Amino acid sequence: MASTSLVRTRVQQVALVVVGLVLAGVMIGLGLWQMQVFQDQGQSGAVARMNEPAVPLAEVARAGQQITDGYGRTVEFSGTYVPAEELLIPVDGKPGTFRVLTPLRTSDGTLVPVVRGETTGATAPAAPTGTVDQHGVLLASDKEGTGALPTGQIGSVYLPVLVQRWQDPMIAGYVTLPADLAAAQGLAAATPQLPSGRGSVQNFGYALQWWVFAACALGFAIYLATYIGRAADRRRLADLGLITQDEKGPDPDRMS
């Protein structure tokens, strides 16, 4: 009888933990889904911002001034490219492919770092000559690149390094040209690293809520399994006369 009761108790404990794990797994999955919705909404918002009508670059970015509401927007500007200062940036995961970074000097002498596109090989098509009208998405500085590179190459569009290298006044960002302008210059399009948008706070809250529920479900299942085990232990001790019947507590068999 004691052996049967012990087996029944262990089965109850395992069943409770399994149910708790299943419920927690479902709730974690729902939380991950809500988080994906949150991220997708943010990405969609970033793309929508980029596709809004272009604004003059001077309205959102000037040399020596912090950019407060310009990153991720499409801007338009004009000036003359400075091919002597052009740099190539190796593209991660694409050996032999480089982003082509060429500064453009506007009429007031400000330099605008422009990623004109991507090229295969260490020689890029020449930048347009004379004054040109350009547009593209305005982006914040990349992270600093690492590793030694040949002359004429740089690890990333890391603005603090570019300011020291080019010397002239420069905006606190860089512009990546769209596919049509890149193609017109004999280059493949460079994918802009859009700033992270923000999804619905409601979806983010739902994700956290499901994860809290998952923790509670698993914790409660473990608590019940532990309680049943302790109750069964007390009953066995009472049957052996090691504790009083009053100390035995509730019968775990009646908790199923």
Side-chain angles (χ1 to χ4, degrees):
M1 179 67 69
S3 177
T4 301
S5 178
L6 178 61
V7 171
R8 186 183 301 112
T9 298
R10 293 294 178 257
V11 170
Q12 289 175 342
Q13 289 179 299
V14 171
L16 281 169
V17 173
V18 169
V19 170
L21 286 171
V22 170
L23 290 175
V26 171
M27 293 174 186
I28 289 173
L30 289 170
L32 291 173
W33 171 68
Q34 288 289 352
M35 184 57 70
Q36 187 62 53
V37 171
F38 173 78
Q39 293 174 343
D40 290 345
Q41 287 177 338
Q43 185 63 26
S44 297
V47 172
R49 178 177 171 84
M50 180 183 70
N51 291 330
E52 291 176 354
V55 298
L57 176 63
E59 289 187 4
V60 295
R62 292 180 177 273
Q65 295 182 4
Q66 182 179 1
I67 297 176
T68 58
D69 186 33
Y71 296 131
R73 301 187 67 174
T74 295
V75 294
E76 53 188 9
F77 52 99
S78 62
T80 305
Y81 280 110
V82 187
E85 299 292 348
E86 184 170 274
L87 295 166
L88 297 180
I89 305 167
V91 177
D92 291 340
K94 299 171 69 174
T97 301
F98 301 87
R99 285 190 291 169
V100 182
L101 177 66
T102 312
L104 178 145
R105 181 175 285 111
T106 63
S107 58
D108 64 359
T110 298
L111 287 184
V112 180
V114 179
V115 173
R116 298 193 290 123
E118 292 183 357
T119 186
T120 301
T123 302
T129 58
T131 301
V132 293
D133 295 324
Q134 303 282 262
H135 64 273
V137 59
L138 179 63
L139 302 169
S141 174
D142 291 347
K143 295 180 180 179
E144 184 175 10
T146 58
L149 293 170
T151 301
Q153 295 184 24
I154 190 171
S156 66
V157 189
Y158 186 57
L159 299 180
V161 169
L162 293 179
V163 168
Q164 297 176 16
R165 187 178 188 122
W166 290 342
Q167 301 295 315
D168 294 332
M170 191 176 75
I171 65 168
Y174 71 96
V175 175
T176 295
L177 299 185
D180 57 337
L181 291 185
Q185 298 183 24
L187 297 165
T191 302
Q193 299 298 313
L194 297 177
S196 299
R198 298 184 63 181
S200 168
V201 174
Q202 186 178 32
N203 289 108
F204 183 73
Y206 285 157
L208 294 180
Q209 177 178 291
W210 280 119
W211 292 335
V212 170
F213 287 166
C216 290
L218 183 57
F220 188 61
I222 292 173
Y223 168 78
L224 284 180
T226 302
Y227 184 85
I228 288 175
R230 289 176 177 173
D233 290 340
R234 289 196 301 270
R235 188 179 67 171
R236 285 193 295 273
L237 291 174
D239 291 342
L240 293 172
L242 298 177
I243 62 175
T244 66
Q245 290 296 321
D246 291 339
E247 295 175 309
K248 182 176 67 172
D251 187 343
D253 292 341
R254 297 179 181 176
M255 299 179 62
S256 58

